[in-house]
Amino acid sequence: MNIRRMQRAIVILLIPLALAGCASAENKQYGGQTSASGDRTAQTVRVETGDIVPTRSLKAQVGAGVDFAVLATKVGVFVPSVESGQRVEQGTVLGSVEDRQLVSPVGATVVSVIAARTTVPANYPVVTLRFDGFGLTGDLSNLVATVGNAPFAGKFQVTDGVGPTDCSGVVPLASDASSGAEGQSSTISISDSYACLIPTDSLVRAGQSAILVVTAQARNDVASLPVTAVAGRLQKGQVRRPDGTVVDVGLGATDGARIEITSGLKAGDAVSATPPDLDPQSK
């Protein structure tokens, strides 16, 4: 993940109050238009095309010990290279699905492995590992809903402590880390929560609070609007045109400041800077 993009994501969370100011400045850039539904002058913004780094920012607490799952990266037959109880190091090959090798992001202990030669879909959990270190956990369901279980990167800042520091890995938590006969399990359960694995040389302790910023691969050349101009955040939303018409739009990824518009508008279209459900004159 590009360091400059990660630093940008940290800033988004650390100074959230600046978003309102940014939106205001952007509104001034495009000027105002007279609304056909009233005699006031409404601030407007335009749909722009550019890159968005999908981002989820949240507060988290340092915890000790993390059980997490490793997911298949494609459809195919899983062939394990490790067994339950085995200690693995960072970069150890855990197995493969067709031509894709799966490696451990950190030193950990294998808890369970699904049966060899099982045909699995993409994103299916195949190995559970136990990380005997510290981690930060959080719900990434909204991010997963827009980009899937794509590889994630993360940075964290401990309150009055270390940071900004890169996570050793951002991994799905295993909600059931028990092993079956001979260390094999037919299924491994995961939750909507993910964990930022904290590097073992970071000076942290359990119970400390932190800010965690998780990002996915950038989406290039997508249409977007400021989040402050859109009602809704996940998949579907609404905007108001300068003439007062409410338009349904499809929504994609967001970086916290802007949100991807997947349908309903095109680049250059102008909309009200105030979303429909927050516009006092819409009532």
Side-chain angles (χ1 to χ4, degrees):
M1 175 60 62
N2 186 283
I3 296 300
R4 186 179 299 276
R5 286 175 173 163
M6 293 297 299
Q7 291 174 337
R8 176 172 176 265
I10 286 284
V11 170
I12 288 172
L13 180 64
L14 293 179
I15 53 172
L17 294 180
L19 294 179
C22 293
S24 176
E26 187 166 7
N27 293 345
K28 291 179 181 178
Q29 176 183 352
Y30 295 120
Q33 293 186 11
T34 301
S35 171
S37 61
D39 58 1
R40 68 189 179 97
T41 298
Q43 293 288 337
T44 61
V45 292
R46 292 186 183 277
V47 179
E48 295 182 353
T49 300
D51 298 344
I52 284 184
V53 178
T55 303
R56 175 79 167 96
S57 304
L58 61 155
K59 294 180 180 179
Q61 193 172 63
V62 178
V66 179
D67 288 337
F68 67 95
V70 176
L71 310 181
T73 56
K74 65 181 297 185
V75 177
V77 176
F78 171 66
V79 179
S81 301
V82 295
E83 58 185 19
S84 177
Q86 182 177 338
R87 178 70 185 178
V88 298
E89 301 303 323
Q90 180 181 9
T92 297
V93 176
L94 305 173
S96 61
V97 178
E98 303 301 329
D99 59 341
R100 302 277 183 85
Q101 289 187 329
L102 306 175
V103 301
S104 177
V106 292
T109 301
V110 179
V111 176
S112 63
V113 184
I114 67 167
R117 310 302 301 179
T118 300
T119 300
V120 297
N123 300 317
Y124 193 84
V126 293
V127 179
T128 303
L129 298 175
R130 178 162 297 147
F131 176 59
D132 294 321
F134 292 106
L136 295 162
T137 61
D139 186 342
L140 297 183
S141 55
N142 283 0
L143 185 58
V144 172
T146 56
V147 300
N149 288 299
F152 296 128
K155 272 186 178 292
F156 66 92
Q157 171 69 62
V158 175
T159 304
D160 298 325
V162 299
T165 303
D166 290 326
C167 303
S168 294
V170 178
V171 292
L173 288 181
S175 57
D176 181 5
S178 60
S179 61
E182 299 182 354
Q184 293 187 337
S185 173
S186 58
T187 60
I188 295 172
S189 299
I190 59 175
S191 69
D192 289 333
S193 294
Y194 276 64
C196 159
L197 304 178
I198 296 177
T200 54
D201 59 356
S202 294
L203 296 177
V204 300
R205 63 180 184 277
Q208 285 183 299
S209 59
I211 293 170
L212 173 62
V213 178
V214 177
T215 60
Q217 185 174 359
R219 299 169 76 89
N220 303 121
D221 299 322
V222 297
S224 70
L225 280 169
V227 295
T228 51
V230 181
R233 291 291 179 270
L234 186 62
Q235 297 182 340
K236 295 181 180 180
Q238 291 184 327
V239 297
R240 184 180 298 280
R241 291 190 183 274
D243 64 3
T245 304
V246 174
V247 177
D248 293 327
V249 293
L251 302 177
T254 178
D255 62 6
R258 300 188 69 85
I259 190 165
E260 180 183 1
I261 305 299
T262 60
S263 63
L265 296 171
K266 63 181 185 300
D269 285 349
V271 302
S272 171
T274 304
D277 60 343
L278 299 181
D279 188 340
Q281 295 207 9
S282 67
K283 299 180 180 180

